[in-house]
Amino acid sequence: MSDLGSLARVFAYLSLLTVGGGMAAFPELRHLTVDVHKWLTFPQLIHLYSIGQMAPGPNMMMIVSIGQWAGGLPGAAIVLLAFFGPTAILAFVVARIWKRLAAWPWRDSIQKGLAPVSIGLLLAGTFTMAKGAIVGTETAAIAAAVLLVLLRYKINPAILVLAGGVIGLLSF
């Protein structure tokens, strides 16, 4: 229970890093949950993220599992509120201001500048996860196959997550 305050602080902070999606915060999520607070190991974090990919709704709901792991049911509730609350409030406030600035000449420039930042943050998260998930030629082949399938075909990613699990079960 002593980690409840830390859980609230860490996940409120992480919520503000999710520009571009949850993966944008993944490097800092890994650093804080694995290296600093040691609530999880890196493989456990990757596992929870993978499970989050299969669950309905936002994949970052997996953060609730981290909260439960570190602080039981109260930890799960605190993490949920700390992660989604600040972002929801910030989005509400920014949307109201942004609407008022519709005629502002710099608005388009700001939007064009934020898009590449979001992509950069997303790529940083992806590379951080790849360092822990791709640990040999077999896992590299699975990752490459998933990438190629997603680029070529319109397929539900949950099917690929399940297929990866079956391949892992059979080959590892």
Side-chain angles (χ1 to χ4, degrees):
M1 293 295 178
S2 64
D3 281 338
L4 296 181
S6 296
L7 284 168
R9 284 187 299 280
V10 164
F11 283 91
Y13 164 68
L14 288 171
S15 77
L16 301 175
L17 299 180
T18 57
V19 176
M23 182 54 80
F26 192 82
E28 191 70 359
L29 174 69
R30 185 197 71 69
H31 174 68
L32 292 172
T33 61
V34 174
D35 299 334
V36 175
H37 293 283
K38 300 186 184 339
W39 290 320
L40 307 163
T41 64
F42 192 27
Q44 288 169 328
L45 178 61
I46 291 171
H47 173 74
L48 291 176
Y49 189 86
S50 299
I51 297 298
Q53 289 291 98
M54 290 180 50
N59 64 354
M60 287 310 288
M61 287 300 291
M62 55 72 76
I63 53 100
V64 175
S65 299
I66 297 170
Q68 190 276 327
W69 204 297
L73 193 55
I78 285 170
V79 164
L80 179 68
L81 292 172
F83 191 75
F84 290 107
T87 304
I89 293 166
L90 181 63
F92 177 77
V93 170
V94 169
R96 291 184 58 101
I97 292 169
W98 207 242
K99 195 173 185 180
R100 289 185 190 149
L101 297 176
W104 194 38
W106 290 9
R107 182 178 159 166
D108 286 342
S109 299
I110 291 170
Q111 284 179 254
K112 288 177 184 172
L114 288 176
V117 170
S118 296
I119 298 299
L121 290 168
L122 180 66
L123 288 172
T126 302
F127 287 130
T128 299
M129 181 178 279
K131 288 178 191 176
I134 299 175
V135 293
T137 55
E138 296 90 354
T139 53
I142 293 170
V146 167
L147 174 65
L148 293 174
V149 167
L150 285 174
L151 289 175
R152 178 75 172 103
Y153 304 103
K154 191 171 187 154
I155 187 170
N156 185 334
I159 294 170
L160 296 172
V161 172
L162 285 171
V166 170
I167 292 168
L169 179 67
L170 297 174
S171 63
F172 299 113

